């Protein structure tokens, strides 16, 4: 007999699938106990996202991963499962086919969420890790398929938008040489200058004070900094500061190294060894165009936002 309510939250991102399993406390107001937090580099957008489809190999990786997640869900006697899919499934011609196959093979119902909904959940997740206070902050989540920008403080979302310009798309379009040339960097930044006009206008209006990056590439930047400082990467906090000096040290290093050299960097996540380069070009563009001088990294994002929303009910 199951005595406690246990929740499983699945975030099917374009690069990474996340599974979070928690047990709710019987005491009101007490934080849930984390039973499992795991992620798998599925690379759902690899080989197809720029053509509007999920490639067969990625389709198979997604199914295999959800089957493994279902085994964990059964092992932990979960009572409620919530699964969300974002950009790669949202825009793919065969996205609905994948959702159907997952349900048929695992019994997991996947909700494909719109970009605006994704941005709201990311904001809610970041708030669990980073105290935003009264000032507006620019929140940013660089996914493989889309990038979400939100201007918010602790209580209010002032503006939000999802842009289909994620790291896999940027990689497909601008990763022409390894290392990137200055012409590659300029081409990406020129593209961003046009693609991100609505975000730049919102920043001009609301004047956020700090860039807060959610998970993914920002986790990797934090890990590169922590590794340089000799810190234990297994003990990194839910929120941390990434100094501008540290960011640009990482950026310069990433721009001047090959794939194999980046793989060897202490703190590098192997599946991000290429995407982190085009992501850093994007971060550099945002810092300069928005005149921001502070960066915070939040390890919490969509799935933590979904959990927070469920606990509010």
């Amino acid at each position: 007999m199951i005595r406690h309510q246990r929740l499983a939250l699945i975030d099917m991102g374009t690069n990474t699938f996340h599974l979070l399993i928690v047990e709710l406390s019987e005491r009101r107001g007490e934080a849930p106990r984390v039973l499992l937090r795991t992620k798998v580099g599925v690379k759902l957008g690899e080989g197809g996202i720029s053509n509007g489809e999920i490639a067969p190999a990625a389709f198979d990786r997604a199914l295999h991963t959800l089957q493994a997640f279902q085994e964990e869900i059964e092992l932990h006697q979960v009572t409620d499962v919530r699964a969300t899919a974002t950009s790669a499934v949202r825009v793919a011609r065969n996205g609905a086919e994948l959702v159907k196959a997952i349900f048929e093979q695992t019994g997991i119902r996947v909700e494909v969420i719109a970009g605006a909904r994704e941005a709201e959940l990311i904001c809610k997740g970041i708030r669990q890790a980073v105290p935003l206070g009264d000032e507006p902050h620019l929140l940013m989540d660089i996914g493989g398929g889309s990038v979400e920008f939100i201007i918010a403080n602790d209580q209010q979302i002032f503006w939000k938008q999802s842009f289909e310009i994620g790291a896999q798309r940027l990689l497909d379009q601008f990763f022409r040489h390894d290392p990137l040339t200055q012409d590659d960097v300029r081409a990406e930044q020129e593209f961003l200058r046009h693609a991100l006009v609505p975000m730049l206008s919102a920043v001009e209006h609301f004047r956020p004070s700090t860039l807060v990056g959610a998970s993914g590439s920002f986790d990797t930047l934090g890990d590169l900094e922590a590794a340089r400082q000799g810190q234990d990467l297994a003990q990194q906090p839910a929120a941390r500061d990434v100094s501008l000096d540290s960011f640009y040290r990482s950026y310069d290093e990433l721009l001047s190294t090959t794939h194999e050299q980046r793989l060897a960097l202490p703190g590098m996540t192997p599946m991000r060894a290429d995407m982190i380069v085009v992501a850093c070009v994007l971060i550099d563009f945002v810092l300069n165009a928005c005149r921001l001088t502070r960066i915070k990294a939040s390890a919490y994002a969509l799935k933590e936002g979904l959990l927070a929303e469920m606990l509010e009910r």
Side-chain angles (χ1 to χ4, degrees):
M1 179 177 165
I2 299 170
R3 293 167 47 208
H4 298 288
Q5 187 178 3
R6 292 179 173 181
L7 308 180
L9 302 122
I10 297 170
D11 170 11
M12 291 170 49
T14 301
N15 290 330
T16 310
F17 284 15
H18 298 263
L19 171 64
L20 174 64
I21 297 178
V22 301
E23 182 175 275
L24 302 189
S25 173
E26 293 178 331
R27 297 190 186 90
R28 189 173 179 81
E30 190 172 294
R33 183 165 67 97
V34 175
L35 302 179
L36 178 70
R37 185 189 291 274
T38 189
K39 61 185 178 182
V40 178
V42 174
K43 292 193 174 182
L44 192 60
E46 187 175 65
I49 192 168
S50 296
N51 302 318
E53 66 178 11
I54 299 164
F59 196 105
D60 290 343
R61 288 195 298 270
L63 276 179
H64 179 77
T65 301
L66 265 292
Q67 287 163 354
F69 282 2
Q70 179 58 22
E71 289 176 10
E72 290 289 358
I73 285 165
E74 290 175 4
L75 185 67
H76 287 84
Q77 298 182 296
V78 166
T79 53
D80 192 8
V81 180
R82 292 289 301 277
T84 58
T86 53
S87 176
V89 180
R90 190 163 61 224
V91 303
R93 288 186 290 274
N94 56 345
E97 184 185 332
L98 176 60
V99 169
K100 183 171 182 281
I102 288 169
F103 178 69
E104 287 174 349
Q105 295 188 30
T106 69
I108 295 172
R109 293 186 183 277
V110 177
E111 178 190 3
V112 182
I113 60 174
R117 168 80 170 141
E118 186 177 354
E120 287 173 9
L121 290 172
I122 288 164
C123 179
K124 201 175 280 286
I126 288 174
R127 283 172 175 158
Q128 310 310 306
V130 180
L132 298 181
D134 295 330
E135 288 188 324
H137 293 63
L138 179 63
L139 316 184
M140 178 183 186
D141 187 311
I142 306 173
S146 63
V147 178
E148 281 65 49
F149 287 99
I150 308 106
I151 299 177
N153 62 12
D154 245 344
Q155 300 298 321
Q156 187 177 355
I157 292 178
F158 302 103
W159 174 89
K160 64 180 185 294
Q161 190 167 333
S162 178
F163 296 83
E164 296 290 341
I165 57 164
Q168 182 65 54
R169 297 181 197 277
L170 294 175
L171 198 67
D172 291 348
Q173 193 169 349
F174 298 106
F175 199 75
R176 300 164 184 162
H177 306 92
D178 190 19
L180 284 190
T181 66
Q182 283 305 307
D183 284 345
D184 296 333
V185 173
R186 277 193 290 271
E188 182 179 338
Q189 295 207 326
E190 189 59 29
F191 167 78
L192 295 170
R193 191 168 287 110
H194 293 286
L196 294 178
V197 165
M199 182 274 288
L200 297 174
S201 298
V203 164
E204 197 64 35
H205 181 74
F206 292 105
R207 305 280 182 171
S209 62
T210 302
L211 177 64
V212 183
S215 64
S217 297
F218 289 93
D219 280 345
T220 301
L221 288 169
D223 286 347
L224 291 171
E225 179 176 20
R228 282 197 292 266
Q229 296 172 351
Q231 296 174 11
D232 181 359
L233 298 184
Q235 301 297 320
Q236 294 308 311
R240 49 186 160 172
D241 293 315
V242 177
S243 71
L244 274 188
D245 284 348
S246 171
F247 167 71
Y248 280 109
R249 182 173 170 183
S250 295
Y251 184 35
D252 291 343
E253 196 167 34
L254 294 166
L255 277 182
S256 61
T257 48
T258 64
H259 175 83
E260 292 303 321
Q261 290 168 330
R262 290 190 297 275
L263 276 179
L265 292 174
M268 177 58 69
T269 302
M271 69 164 289
R272 295 196 189 281
D274 293 338
M275 286 187 186
I276 189 72
V277 182
V278 291
C280 281
V281 174
L282 169 57
I283 295 167
D284 172 57
F285 173 82
V286 171
L287 289 170
N288 286 307
C290 302
R291 299 184 294 279
L292 297 169
T293 57
R294 289 186 290 173
I295 309 172
K296 288 184 178 293
S298 166
Y300 291 4
L302 191 150
K303 64 188 181 303
E304 288 82 9
L306 191 59
L307 175 59
E309 185 178 85
M310 292 175 74
L311 294 177
E312 287 169 0
R313 291 174 182 166

